[in-house]
Amino acid sequence: MQEQFSRAESGGAAPGAIIHEDTTVKWFVVSSISYFFIVGIIALIIAAKFVWPDLMGTTAWLTYGRLRPLHVNGMLFGWLLAADMGLTFYIVPRLCGVKIWSEKLGVATGVLWNVIILGAVVSLLLGRNKGFEYGELEMSLSVLVVVAWLMFTANILMTVFQRKYQAMYVSIWYFMGCLLWTAFVYLTGNFATLLATGVNQANLNWMYVHNAVGLIFTPVGLGIAYYFIPRTSNTPLFSHKLSMVGFWSLAFVYVWTGAHHMLHGPISQWLQTIAIAFSLMLLVPVWAVVYNLLITMKGQWHQLRDKVELKFLMSGVVFYLLTCFQGPMHSLRTVNAIVSKTDWIPGHAHMAVLGAFSFFAIAGTYYAAPRVFGKLLHSVALANWSYWMIMIGGLGFFTTLWLGGFWQGWQWNNVSIPFIDTVVALKPIWTVRFISGVMIFVGIVMFAYNIMATVLGPETEAAA
Amino acid sequence: MDYTWPSVYFAYLFFFLMFALAVFFFVKTARDGYWGKDGEDIKYRMLEDGDQRRTHE
Amino acid sequence: MLRKADTSAVWAIVASLVLFFIGGLLTTVVPPMVDKSWGRPFANADPAKGPTGTLVRLNAQQQQGRDIYVREGCWYCHTQQIRTLLADTKRYGWKGVDAPISTPDEFVYDTPHMFGTKRTGPDLARVGGRYDTQWHRTHFRNPRDLVKGSIMPAFPWIVGNPQEFTALVAYMQTLGRAKDWRPSNDYER
């Protein structure tokens, strides 16, 4: 395992060893980090607009209402999902002991994905917005997403069907779950919603929004964490059976909770109650996963000092635990009456998508990119710096928004305070959020530069 | 129609249903030998298909 | 059986889809069948049962205004729902009259729905008739001229386009008006 092979040596060695081409992985890695950087700039602009509302304020396509959907869609689909797809293309053939079913189809998926993201940038800036949260992309692009997803699904499932080893490691479970559920969740949020109106439509929309995180990013993110934590630490997973408990409970309870986005709102009380009950049950799959991953590291925590991938992975696990503790708690009616619709919520959402799932994807990219390109990582020191910048910036971001959200919630509940005073009260919060955002962005630049320098850098043999 | 109590009954029913299923599957898997020695093989195997390329370590 | 679950991909696919569809169908397809109020437009002629009024469809101009509301992403910062919280009914009330709680029957014709998730600015569910056209004109040109400390973007290109501006204001004046909640027809135009 720890033997030092160079690429040339491994070619002839180990009879029967598979040489993975990984062209698809390369496509996804490079495009996802590019979008991470580009959309990071958008993120900074909208954070700045909270502090200086007149910034770029008289150009239609640079207003907050146009840039926010670009930030959300760009980060979710351009960076995170692309990175996750690339890592799936990396992990699945290795776990199955076979080559990817079709490298050509994979590359085509990568190209199509880039077309979609570029189309999204143009159409969203023009204000062509379907008007559904996470479902903003216009119809033609939504159809292309479905096509790309079917190509991706076919490729991965065929690889799984051809696998050399019968038993499937937990990551494969999560990837398969993600592939199947995403198809239906995405169809619900982007097509079924158009057949309904009013509250019925909102219910379908929240089912999609909740499960875009719960049944798309969660399973693929956990699949990545379940693969890279044992791999980077060279330590077997604590328990395969426990990982199955986590998977099957996730499969069952996540989809029920969409209505908790409308607690106290104009939607049937009984549906709210069901959503609350299932939101609390979310603790089961989360704690099963987190316990499994944390105990895997028992006696191995010292490895975090040397391996930047493990720093990202284990921090991601802790953020996952926290964010998935917050979720069930906000769905309680009493807590919801304070935090709902406040700045607490973006703090929570960013901890899930940036703190947990992006950390897993960054770790996976740091691990996989040098290997697929056959290079040495450009700089371990820079990678560590990127970790600390994103980590400290992220913590600043999350904690200030939680604090601000609570202020806001309490002030709103005191009707003698005019609304505008509750806006002014949050200015310091938004200033700190902007500064934290700058730190996160610097970390992203370091990460993206490090990977690009690795990709474009000298061959392994030359560097060694 | 007020659904407050039906939703509470539904939640209880659900809880017992889940509990019964959990017990059922536990017994079933124990009989099938799922809890046997080789049940955990897969987690060791995933470490073996090493990527034979040079890294910093 | 679970031994098989560990090794059979087809078993895994079927089982995870079945579990998904139990929850998926029960929480999305079934609720509108159980609660008919989601699809029945609001209509009440009896003052004893609360505010009277009828939900009517938007006319062409109001619909154009709504499209602008969607296009500019107003819904990212403004919710449209008076929740079942005392603070909501008081805060968005008018001259001591509490704003009526939003009910599903008021939104039957809404697509895309504009309930929103985030209140960076105030809720707009009952904003119809709260401010007059001149106020809106000044406010859209630069919100900080009227509300010191506001962080809402300025929308000069809407104010500069009389047709769009009139449509947007026409839409906003319909918000929350299905329920005639203010005494003696006290609404701004």
Side-chain angles (χ1 to χ4, degrees):
Chain A
M1 188 50 216
Q2 294 293 335
E3 287 165 292
Q4 301 275 311
F5 287 104
S6 80
R7 210 156 142 217
E9 286 160 359
S10 72
I18 303 158
I19 308 293
H20 297 282
E21 270 177 61
D22 291 326
T23 323
T24 315
V25 184
K26 292 176 187 169
W27 265 89
F28 275 107
V29 163
V30 172
S31 42
S32 66
I33 58 170
S34 315
Y35 294 125
F36 203 12
F37 168 72
I38 295 166
V39 181
I41 300 173
I42 309 279
L44 273 190
I45 295 174
I46 65 175
K49 277 168 176 286
F50 275 81
V51 187
W52 302 285
D54 286 318
L55 181 77
M56 299 185 228
T58 50
T59 318
W61 55 275
L62 285 176
T63 45
Y64 181 82
R66 304 275 179 98
L67 291 181
R68 192 194 118 139
L70 185 56
H71 165 59
V72 172
N73 284 279
M75 280 301 183
L76 288 186
F77 298 110
W79 147 245
L80 188 52
L81 196 53
D84 285 349
M85 286 162 85
L87 292 171
T88 308
F89 275 116
Y90 175 84
I91 295 170
V92 169
R94 282 165 177 78
L95 281 180
C96 291
V98 291
K99 285 190 176 190
I100 189 76
W101 182 61
S102 166
E103 196 74 59
K104 280 192 185 122
L105 184 64
V107 173
T109 315
V111 175
L112 180 57
W113 202 257
N114 277 286
V115 171
I116 293 167
I117 302 301
L118 294 175
V121 172
V122 175
S123 64
L124 288 174
L125 288 181
L126 288 173
R128 300 179 68 139
N129 184 328
K130 277 216 304 282
F132 297 103
E133 202 151 12
Y134 291 11
E136 285 98 346
L137 298 190
E138 61 174 353
M139 208 40 164
S140 50
L141 292 172
S142 306
V143 172
L144 287 182
V145 171
V146 175
V147 172
W149 196 260
L150 289 179
M151 290 158 72
F152 176 51
T153 306
N155 216 344
I156 297 296
L157 285 187
M158 289 311 287
T159 309
V160 172
F161 286 138
Q162 293 178 343
R163 68 192 182 280
K164 198 165 90 187
Y165 315 102
Q166 245 218 328
M168 292 181 294
Y169 181 66
V170 56
S171 295
I172 300 185
W173 289 89
Y174 275 107
F175 293 144
M176 287 202 299
C178 171
L179 291 169
L180 303 163
W181 299 324
T182 302
F184 293 100
V185 166
Y186 194 82
L187 289 175
T188 307
N190 289 275
F191 300 93
T193 41
L194 302 176
L195 305 174
T197 59
V199 173
N200 192 3
Q201 186 187 57
N203 188 42
L204 295 172
N205 185 197
W206 299 135
M207 185 271 197
Y208 166 60
V209 167
H210 180 79
N211 293 309
V213 179
L215 292 178
I216 300 179
F217 292 112
T218 300
V220 71
L222 293 181
I224 289 167
Y226 264 123
Y227 180 78
F228 285 113
I229 289 175
R231 287 309 296 256
T232 46
S233 64
N234 212 6
T235 311
L237 182 69
F238 168 66
S239 166
H240 172 66
K241 293 187 191 81
L242 184 58
S243 71
M244 286 292 106
V245 172
F247 175 79
W248 288 108
S249 48
L250 177 131
F252 186 62
V253 300
Y254 251 93
V255 68
W256 292 76
T257 55
H260 71 198
H261 291 253
M262 280 190 77
L263 288 189
H264 303 291
I267 197 166
S268 318
Q269 288 293 331
W270 56 269
L271 189 57
Q272 298 184 22
T273 307
I274 290 174
I276 294 170
F278 277 88
S279 301
L280 284 174
M281 279 192 241
L282 293 185
L283 293 174
V284 175
V286 173
W287 289 6
V289 168
V290 170
Y291 184 80
N292 210 348
L293 294 176
L294 289 181
I295 298 300
T296 298
M297 291 307 288
K298 195 174 174 187
Q300 301 294 331
W301 289 100
H302 60 91
Q303 293 199 35
L304 265 68
R305 204 167 40 217
D306 307 319
K307 293 176 180 164
V308 70
E309 295 97 332
L310 271 181
K311 285 196 187 78
F312 273 110
L313 287 164
M314 297 322 289
S315 320
V317 171
V318 174
F319 282 137
Y320 178 65
L321 173 67
L322 290 176
T323 200
C324 291
F325 184 70
Q326 286 180 338
M329 293 308 121
H330 313 152
S331 68
L332 300 174
R333 283 192 174 88
T334 41
V335 180
N336 190 275
I338 299 169
V339 299
S340 181
K341 320 257 180 302
T342 68
D343 275 65
W344 171 287
I345 303 300
H348 164 69
H350 279 83
M351 185 161 64
V353 175
L354 172 73
F357 303 130
S358 289
F359 269 37
F360 295 154
I362 292 171
T365 307
Y366 269 134
Y367 183 91
R371 285 170 172 79
V372 297
F373 283 97
K375 311 280 176 74
L376 276 178
L377 184 64
H378 171 67
S379 163
V380 175
L382 190 62
N384 273 306
W385 272 100
S386 75
Y387 169 77
W388 288 112
M389 291 306 279
I390 300 179
M391 181 70 182
I392 295 170
L395 278 177
F397 189 111
F398 311 147
T399 48
T400 45
L401 283 192
W402 299 333
L403 181 66
F406 257 94
W407 288 358
Q408 223 173 8
W410 280 321
Q411 289 177 339
W412 288 350
N413 280 307
N414 177 352
V415 292
S416 65
I417 301 175
F419 190 89
I420 187 61
D421 291 5
T422 72
V423 175
V424 173
L426 253 68
K427 296 246 159 131
I429 294 287
W430 291 326
T431 308
V432 177
R433 188 255 300 265
F434 174 70
I435 295 166
S436 312
V438 172
M439 283 187 75
I440 297 172
F441 182 70
V442 171
I444 291 174
V445 172
M446 289 170 167
F447 162 65
Y449 171 78
N450 208 350
I451 297 295
M452 286 315 290
T454 307
V455 169
L456 302 172
E459 290 290 330
T460 307
E461 284 78 6
Chain B
M1 176 77 188
D2 177 20
Y3 291 101
T4 309
W5 285 108
S7 64
V8 172
Y9 296 142
F10 177 79
Y12 280 131
L13 173 78
F14 218 87
F15 177 78
F16 284 112
L17 211 64
M18 291 293 99
F19 186 72
L21 276 176
V23 172
F24 171 78
F25 276 115
F26 181 76
V27 172
K28 181 118 187 142
T29 50
R31 281 212 191 133
D32 287 358
Y34 188 65
W35 300 86
K37 257 204 329 258
D38 54 348
E40 296 276 325
D41 281 355
I42 180 72
K43 74 185 187 196
Y44 300 106
R45 224 227 62 237
M46 68 84 64
L47 290 172
E48 282 162 19
D49 60 329
D51 215 315
Q52 300 161 336
R53 285 174 194 169
R54 187 188 296 251
T55 63
H56 274 292
E57 287 101 53
Chain C
M1 188 178 121
L2 276 212
R3 198 88 188 111
K4 197 167 177 192
D6 245 15
T7 52
S8 163
V10 176
W11 195 97
I13 289 171
V14 173
S16 43
L17 281 183
V18 166
L19 288 184
F20 171 82
F21 274 108
I22 295 174
L25 294 175
L26 280 177
T27 54
T28 57
V29 176
V30 173
M33 297 198 278
V34 175
D35 192 339
K36 298 289 183 200
S37 77
W38 289 18
R40 195 189 305 126
F42 174 77
N44 179 27
D46 180 4
K49 288 185 189 161
T52 56
T54 328
L55 178 69
V56 289
R57 285 178 188 274
L58 298 180
N59 65 28
Q61 186 191 38
Q62 292 157 351
Q63 185 57 48
Q64 193 207 347
R66 194 172 200 276
D67 294 342
I68 296 166
Y69 187 93
V70 174
R71 181 188 76 197
E72 300 300 343
C74 307
W75 45 288
Y76 289 116
C77 296
H78 295 284
T79 52
Q80 288 188 15
Q81 44 179 317
I82 304 296
R83 297 175 296 168
T84 52
L85 299 174
L86 196 61
D88 269 25
T89 60
K90 297 278 182 210
R91 180 174 293 283
Y92 301 107
W94 181 246
K95 292 183 183 168
V97 182
D98 290 354
I101 288 166
S102 296
T103 47
D105 50 12
E106 289 181 86
F107 303 92
V108 173
Y109 301 130
D110 280 17
T111 180
H113 76 85
M114 288 286 117
F115 290 115
T117 44
K118 178 73 173 50
R119 278 182 187 162
T120 305
D123 186 84
L124 300 182
R126 304 268 176 225
V127 83
R130 196 181 181 97
Y131 305 108
D132 62 18
T133 307
Q134 188 51 46
W135 187 93
H136 279 300
R137 182 174 286 119
T138 314
H139 188 251
F140 277 123
R141 187 172 287 128
N142 186 0
R144 280 157 290 288
D145 288 350
L146 281 179
V147 185
K148 199 168 167 295
S150 167
I151 60 162
M152 178 168 142
F155 292 93
W157 64 93
I158 295 182
V159 181
N161 179 338
Q163 205 233 345
E164 284 206 341
F165 172 72
T166 320
L168 183 56
V169 174
Y171 165 64
M172 293 188 69
Q173 302 296 30
T174 68
L175 289 173
R177 295 278 288 275
K179 286 182 180 167
D180 185 17
W181 60 285
R182 291 204 211 156
S184 56
N185 203 28
D186 172 27
Y187 297 101
E188 303 286 342
R189 287 165 184 280

